[in-house]
């Protein structure tokens, strides 16, 4: 039997059908019982007249029914303008309980503010029954779908790289060590080395959507120890400007499609507009950004802190980008080399890469990569990494075209698009220093 989804019930008036879903609510009054039944698409009212002799068995069943149980109902759908919910009701001839819920729910799933976030995360499968939480992932699914779609349309190949690896790839961030038979392995902090290997293998344009692990012991609203990375790499570029151009096009495409499909829902549930970028994203050097922030907002920090973006500077860069360019995005370039990975290409000693800030939070790091073996070896040595990354350096020994790419955090992007307060909510299941369950 094919399930009839509640958003297509209009096609089935007055026919005998079977519907199934979660019992969201039960109202048991003198002459009648009402059940609100929910599936992933919609809700429908089931109405049972108590006085009718043939209904007695059902009435008894509903008397003992607990909310959030799942049931299967046979009967027919009738138009009824008096019914507030969609102007229709389902008149059952038979009800069957397919799964019984405990009477006491550990969460109030209809009011997410009624309990602490941690309590909600403990019972994430119930928490996700709340439409606010549920729809985050319906929207995220389409976001990733449109991003993928753009890349497929542009001749990218999706690859799948190992997450158990022999060496740390992002030296700056912490790595999880795991026991691997008689030695140690690491959980991949990025597909960086392998997406570049694909370029050395002649794939030209590759991407991956996969877990990324970071042993960062930080409890902020934007950090997690395992997130979904959206990573790509492509060959025959002239400069990291090409990488920024591609990312800009990709995000504009995805946001446009997302707004068409979910713009209304985003407004209703998250009170957030999905803004489709109209122009190119502004690009500014780190040094110039700090000058602007000081001039405009009197943001003053010690010179020594200006070699990277502070959290506050990220926030203010959003204000600046909006005021000056009407853009929610801003590319920041020209970071000093000690703050960038060894594999970034340098010109006049300046790394040819960028961070992309969206609504005041970093969502991406990208760069042109150093593909010349000798230069790359020198840069790795400089960071004291040459032994650790020996296998990676080999990729560049037998010909590798100029290339670049970026890594974007899907969980952060989702959080920012919908204006969700914390990444703990924009991840299907959050992982943090103190959370390994469910
Ligand atoms: P980076 O380390 O900047 O770059 O990571 C890329 C993007 O991943 C997201 N991100 C995170 N999201 C949640 N929790 C975290 N702890 C976390 N850390 C990072 C951010 C970030 O911008 N190899 C490079 C990418 C490249 O150059 O292609 C890299 O991993 O959105």
């Amino acid at each position: 039997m094919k399930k009839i989804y509640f958003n297509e019930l209009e096609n089935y008036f007055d026919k005998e059908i079977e519907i199934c879903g979660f019992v969201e609510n039960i109202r048991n009054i003198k002459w009648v019982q009402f059940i609100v039944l929910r599936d992933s698409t919609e809700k429908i009212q089931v109405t049972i007249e108590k006085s009718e002799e043939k209904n007695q068995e059902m009435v008894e069943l509903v008397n003992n029914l607990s909310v959030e149980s799942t049931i299967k109902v046979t009967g027919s759908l009738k138009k009824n303008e008096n019914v507030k919910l969609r102007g229709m009701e389902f008149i059952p001839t038979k009800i069957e309980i397919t799964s019984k819920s405990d009477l006491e729910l550990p969460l109030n799933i209809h009011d997410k503010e009624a309990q602490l976030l941690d309590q909600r995360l403990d019972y994430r499968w119930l928490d996700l029954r709340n439409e606010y939480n549920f729809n985050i992932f319906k929207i995220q699914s389409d976001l990733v779908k449109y991003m993928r779609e753009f890349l497929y349309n542009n001749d990218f190949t999706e690859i799948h790289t190992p997450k158990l690896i022999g060496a740390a790839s992002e030296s700056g961030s912490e790595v999880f060590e795991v026991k691997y038979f008689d030695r140690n392995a690491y959980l991949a902090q990025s597909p960086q080395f392998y997406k570049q290997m694909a370029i050395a293998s002649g794939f030209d344009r590759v991407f991956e959507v996969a877990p990324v692990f970071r042993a960062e012991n930080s409890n902020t609203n934007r950090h997690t120890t395992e997130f979904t990375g959206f990573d790509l790499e492509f060959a025959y570029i002239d400069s990291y400007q090409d990488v920024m151009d591609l990312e800009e096009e990709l995000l504009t495409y995805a946001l446009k499609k997302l707004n068409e499909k979910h713009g209304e829902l985003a407004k209703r549930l998250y009170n957030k507009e999905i803004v489709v970028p109209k122009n190119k994203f502004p690009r500014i050097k780190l040094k110039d950004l700090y000058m602007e922030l000081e001039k405009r907002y009197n943001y003053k920090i010690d010179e020594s802190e200006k070699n990277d973006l502070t959290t506050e500077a990220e926030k203010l860069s959003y204000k600046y980008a909006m005021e000056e360019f009407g853009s929610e995005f801003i590319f920041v370039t020209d970071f000093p080399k000690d703050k960038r990975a060894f594999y970034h290409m340098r010109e006049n000693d300046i790394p040819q890469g960028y961070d992309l800030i969206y609504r005041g939070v970093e969502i991406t790091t990208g760069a042109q990569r150093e593909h010349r073996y000798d230069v790359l070896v020198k840069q790795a040595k400089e960071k004291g990494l040459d032994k650790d990354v020996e296998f990676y350096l080999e990729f560049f020994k037998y010909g590798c075209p100029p290339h670049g790419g970026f890594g974007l955090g899907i969980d952060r992007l989702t959080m920012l698009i919908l204006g969700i307060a914390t990444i703990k909510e924009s991840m299907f299941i959050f992982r943090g220093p103190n959370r390994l369950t469910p």
Side-chain angles (χ1 to χ4, degrees):
M1 186 203 85
K2 185 177 164 285
K3 171 167 166 46
I4 297 171
Y5 282 96
F6 295 177
N7 65 351
E8 48 177 22
L9 278 173
E10 275 85 353
N11 303 325
Y12 294 90
F13 281 115
D14 302 317
K15 290 185 190 127
E16 180 167 290
I17 55 171
E18 223 173 70
I19 61 171
C20 35
F22 286 93
V23 174
E24 174 152 317
N25 188 26
I26 304 165
R27 262 197 317 144
N28 208 334
I29 53 182
K30 196 164 181 198
W31 302 109
V32 68
Q33 292 171 322
F34 298 111
I35 300 172
V36 174
L37 204 58
R38 176 188 78 231
D39 76 4
S40 60
T41 62
E42 256 289 5
K43 294 173 191 174
I44 186 72
Q45 176 179 303
V46 178
T47 310
I48 304 137
E49 291 289 343
K50 283 183 170 178
S51 58
E52 292 192 26
E53 189 53 40
K54 62 179 177 10
N55 287 351
Q56 288 325 300
E57 210 175 296
M58 284 195 289
V59 170
E60 196 50 33
L61 181 142
V62 175
N63 279 339
N64 294 302
L65 187 61
S66 45
V67 287
E68 295 305 315
S69 297
T70 64
I71 58 174
K72 182 157 92 181
V73 191
T74 312
S76 57
L77 187 69
K78 305 282 174 201
K79 282 198 177 118
N80 181 346
E81 280 169 11
N82 297 323
V83 177
K84 265 209 219 111
L85 184 64
R86 306 171 71 191
M88 57 174 92
E89 62 188 338
F90 197 78
I91 309 298
T93 50
K94 189 177 154 205
I95 300 179
E96 201 183 311
I97 299 175
T98 48
S99 160
K100 191 169 171 302
S101 166
D102 269 7
L103 211 51
E104 284 283 325
L105 290 173
L107 282 190
N108 178 344
I109 60 179
H110 301 298
D111 179 8
K112 67 189 195 75
E113 308 303 337
Q115 52 262 310
L116 296 173
L117 179 58
D118 254 320
Q119 228 171 322
R120 290 174 35 207
L121 296 184
D122 284 343
Y123 292 95
R124 186 60 165 161
W125 68 97
L126 294 180
D127 187 42
L128 287 170
R129 292 184 194 180
N130 178 301
E131 71 166 348
Y132 177 102
N133 299 327
F134 179 84
N135 281 291
I136 293 171
F137 302 96
K138 299 296 277 185
I139 294 174
Q140 184 181 71
S141 167
D142 281 321
L143 170 69
V144 176
K145 172 177 134 178
Y146 299 138
M147 290 170 75
R148 273 202 168 96
E149 189 174 275
F150 175 87
L151 294 181
Y152 283 129
N153 292 345
N154 283 279
D155 300 320
F156 276 76
T157 303
E158 184 164 6
I159 57 170
H160 306 282
T161 69
K163 303 306 154 205
L164 274 173
I165 58 178
S169 54
E170 301 293 318
S171 56
S173 50
E174 297 299 320
V175 63
F176 285 112
E177 228 173 74
V178 293
K179 221 169 109 46
Y180 194 74
F181 305 110
D182 58 350
R183 59 191 166 124
N184 285 335
Y186 304 96
L187 293 181
Q189 297 158 294
S190 156
Q192 186 64 38
F193 292 171
Y194 299 102
K195 57 182 181 165
Q196 287 192 258
M197 194 198 89
I199 299 297
S201 309
F203 279 93
D204 286 357
R205 306 183 138 219
V206 294
F207 76 101
E208 178 168 22
V209 190
V212 170
F213 302 91
R214 302 281 169 100
E216 276 168 305
N217 199 349
S218 44
N219 290 294
T220 72
N221 73 337
R222 67 183 69 182
H223 284 96
T224 159
T225 50
E226 177 179 350
F227 62 93
T228 300
F230 191 98
D231 271 85
L232 66 79
E233 208 66 27
F234 62 116
Y236 303 111
I237 63 170
D238 294 321
S239 141
Y240 69 112
Q241 300 287 340
D242 296 338
V243 183
M244 291 192 278
D245 288 345
L246 184 98
E247 179 159 21
E248 196 173 83
E249 255 186 85
L250 166 90
L251 287 169
T252 303
Y253 176 93
L255 286 173
K256 181 169 179 293
K257 288 261 185 155
L258 200 65
N259 186 46
E260 282 164 13
K261 180 150 179 200
H262 294 298
E264 288 306 313
L265 187 67
K267 262 184 229 150
R268 178 170 72 80
L269 284 179
Y270 311 100
N271 196 20
K272 207 73 192 168
E273 193 182 339
I274 300 175
V275 180
V276 183
K278 287 196 189 65
N279 301 309
K280 286 184 75 65
F281 305 169
R283 301 169 186 200
I284 188 168
K285 293 179 178 157
L286 182 66
K287 181 166 61 58
D288 296 340
L289 178 67
Y290 275 116
M291 261 163 45
E292 288 292 343
L293 299 187
E294 183 163 346
K295 196 168 79 192
R296 286 167 187 254
Y297 317 117
N298 201 24
Y299 181 61
K300 290 190 179 128
I301 53 167
D302 197 75
E303 281 307 312
S304 62
E305 283 184 79
K306 291 188 183 169
N307 58 5
D308 211 346
L309 273 173
T310 62
T311 307
E312 186 59 21
E314 280 183 16
K315 262 192 217 147
L316 289 172
S317 73
Y318 175 36
K319 196 168 172 196
Y320 165 67
M322 283 301 289
E323 280 176 12
E324 186 65 22
F325 308 98
S327 172
E328 297 193 312
F329 292 90
I330 184 167
F331 286 116
V332 184
T333 66
D334 293 62
F335 286 81
K337 65 181 181 189
D338 61 316
K339 288 290 168 194
R340 299 271 113 170
F342 74 96
Y343 52 76
H344 285 203
M345 182 178 270
R346 298 175 192 164
E347 209 174 286
N348 299 325
D349 237 19
I350 297 164
Q352 302 296 291
Y354 67 88
D355 273 2
L356 176 58
I357 315 299
Y358 170 52
R359 294 183 169 171
V361 176
E362 178 209 312
I363 56 164
T364 291
T365 299
Q368 174 160 15
R369 320 302 185 184
E370 183 48 74
H371 62 282
R372 295 161 298 183
Y373 177 74
D374 299 338
V375 185
L376 190 59
V377 171
K378 194 171 137 266
Q379 290 184 183
K381 262 197 188 131
E382 206 182 277
K383 300 232 180 205
L385 288 169
D386 46 325
K387 277 282 163 289
D388 290 342
V389 301
E390 218 160 24
F391 81 99
Y392 163 76
L393 297 173
E394 292 276 306
F395 300 162
F396 303 91
K397 249 179 148 171
Y398 310 101
C400 178
H403 64 282
F406 65 79
L408 176 151
I410 287 296
D411 321 83
R412 271 194 201 174
L413 182 59
T414 307
M415 166 179 98
L416 295 164
I417 289 176
L418 299 180
I420 295 164
T422 163
I423 201 165
K424 292 181 182 180
E425 287 194 286
S426 70
M427 299 184 69
F428 186 66
I429 294 184
F430 171 70
R431 283 286 175 265
N434 301 315
R435 182 167 284 281
L436 271 174
T437 54

